Amino acid sequence: MSLKETLSLSLPQLGWRPVYQQQLSWDELETTIPARISGHHRSGYICWTENGEIHLDIHAKLPSMTVGDWILLERETHQFIKLLDRQSLFSRKAAGIKSYEQLIASNVDTVFIVSSLNHDFNLSRIERYLALAKEAQVEPVIVLTKADLCDDVDDKKQQVQALNPMLNVECINALSSESCQSLKPWCKIGKTIAFMGSSGVGKSTVVNTLMGSETQQTSGIREQDSKGRHTTTSRSLLSMPSGALLLDTPGMREIQISDCEQGIEEVFADVANLANKCRFSDCKHISEPGCAVLKAIESEELDERRLRNYRKLLAEQARNSESIAERRSKEKDFHKHVKSVMKEIQSREKGY
Ligand SMILES: Nc1nc2c(ncn2[C@@H]2O[C@H](COP(=O)(O)OP(=O)(O)OP(=O)(O)O)[C@@H](O)[C@H]2O)c(=O)[nH]1
Ligand SMILES: [Zn+2]
């Protein structure tokens, strides 16, 4: 482990706040320092502290951790002490397997769900990302890009707003710094932000515009290794000119719906509320008498597309969770098989 020179950010600039501080005992206040995981490599974690960067080697006693996590390190030796409770977590889970959870990102304050206003505009896709954000317990902001290429910006904005009147929806030209100013309220000092959205919608463009001229400097902070050579270490947490922290991992961009029922139920709370009013408690809303959902569609209170997407996402998340579970169990079987073969070889070698 070594302490390296890095951009020196104060604890509040790193996202530290009372909810983490409260988790420290009197003893820990004296003997430990807080550190935030800013990168993850095969051999270890890159941790940011108030006094610079620390590399934490992976060893068996470490819990499963991810970029964005807050941990405590022993003040002098920088030995790992504990992982602090997370405020939010993006992960992939497999249904029925408690121990299997692939962590993607934690302690994100705001996720920008990016969708473009041209031919990629798709309400169902936005709902899918909303479900992921809800499941992770992160505040979503819908960012509709390519406003400069769209003739009916207001109409499309209203369609998105109709998904939920409480939703924050911003329409921008991602190439214009002035236009991106509308995202600034979520990019304040110490706030951790992330981006989701399909390919080509303009995520990198928004990031580059928000980063301004500092992109190069921040995305690959150059540092010297012991021989004085310049090396670049990849980090997934980047400090932005506005003072916010951008959490950008490949996992975040590729995230799929799995074991996300809670998130889906929250995004489609209106459908669930209607379903509660159906005459039969096991109503499938297909052709049953007294179905409140079908009645709402008929009276145009509920968009049929929304019901279709609700069903589709529920089915998809069940399928994805199952396939993760299946793969996991095959992996386990394989490891068991390898172990038993190794045992047999060993006992043969010993001449039993
Ligand atoms: N005119 C205009 N072009 C935009 C806007 N946002 C993005 N673009 C263009 O759209 C293309 C794709 O943008 P990217 O930022 O690479 O999209 P992305 O979401 O990062 O895509 P991936 O990296 O594949 O995930 C680029 O050519 C951008 O210049 C916008 O608001 N207005
Ligand atoms: Zn019904």
Side-chain angles (χ1 to χ4, degrees), residues 165-312:
M166 301 299 283
L167 209 54
N168 286 303
V169 188
E170 298 294 335
C171 299
I172 59 165
N173 168 5
L175 295 162
S176 149
S177 161
E178 202 185 330
S179 179
C180 287
Q181 290 290 322
S182 62
L183 307 182
K184 287 282 166 77
W186 294 280
C187 301
K188 294 193 175 137
I189 292 175
K191 291 288 179 192
T192 304
I193 61 165
F195 286 83
M196 289 197 299
S198 16
S199 182
V201 293
K203 296 180 296 296
S204 306
T205 310
V206 182
V207 167
N208 284 337
T209 304
L210 289 175
M211 282 292 197
S213 57
E214 297 184 42
T215 315
Q216 282 303 312
Q217 206 191 326
T218 40
S219 59
I221 303 159
R222 292 181 79 79
E223 53 190 33
Q224 288 189 337
D225 66 10
S226 55
K227 291 185 182 133
R229 287 179 309 214
H230 280 290
T231 53
T232 31
T233 323
S234 79
R235 286 165 186 77
S236 306
L237 201 59
L238 307 171
S239 169
M240 302 181 82
S242 67
L245 297 152
L246 167 67
L247 198 159
D248 190 18
T249 66
M252 207 48 224
R253 294 195 173 204
E254 293 153 12
I255 191 167
Q256 283 175 16
I257 285 216
S258 63
D259 200 18
C260 192
E261 200 167 338
Q262 185 61 35
I264 296 173
E265 292 304 337
E266 279 185 50
V267 172
F268 294 90
D270 54 340
V271 184
N273 279 341
L274 284 168
N276 278 338
K277 295 181 193 145
C278 294
R279 186 179 304 162
F280 304 111
S281 61
D282 61 345
C283 184
K284 297 274 182 294
H285 329 301
I286 295 168
S287 60
E288 291 89 338
C291 172
V293 175
L294 292 177
K295 199 171 148 218
I297 289 173
E298 217 166 276
S299 66
E300 293 184 1
E301 184 194 329
L302 176 70
D303 194 351
E304 197 180 349
R305 178 204 62 75
R306 206 163 148 74
L307 176 64
R308 270 202 312 271
N309 198 34
Y310 175 54
R311 284 198 174 119
K312 186 175 156 208

Side-chain angles (χ1 to χ4, degrees), residues 93-98 100 258-259 317-318 320-322 324-326:
K93 288 163 272 181
I97 300 187
K98 257 198 184 152
Y100 186 69
S258 63
D259 200 18
Q317 68 94 24
N320 279 345
S321 309
E322 264 169 32
I324 296 173
E326 217 170 77

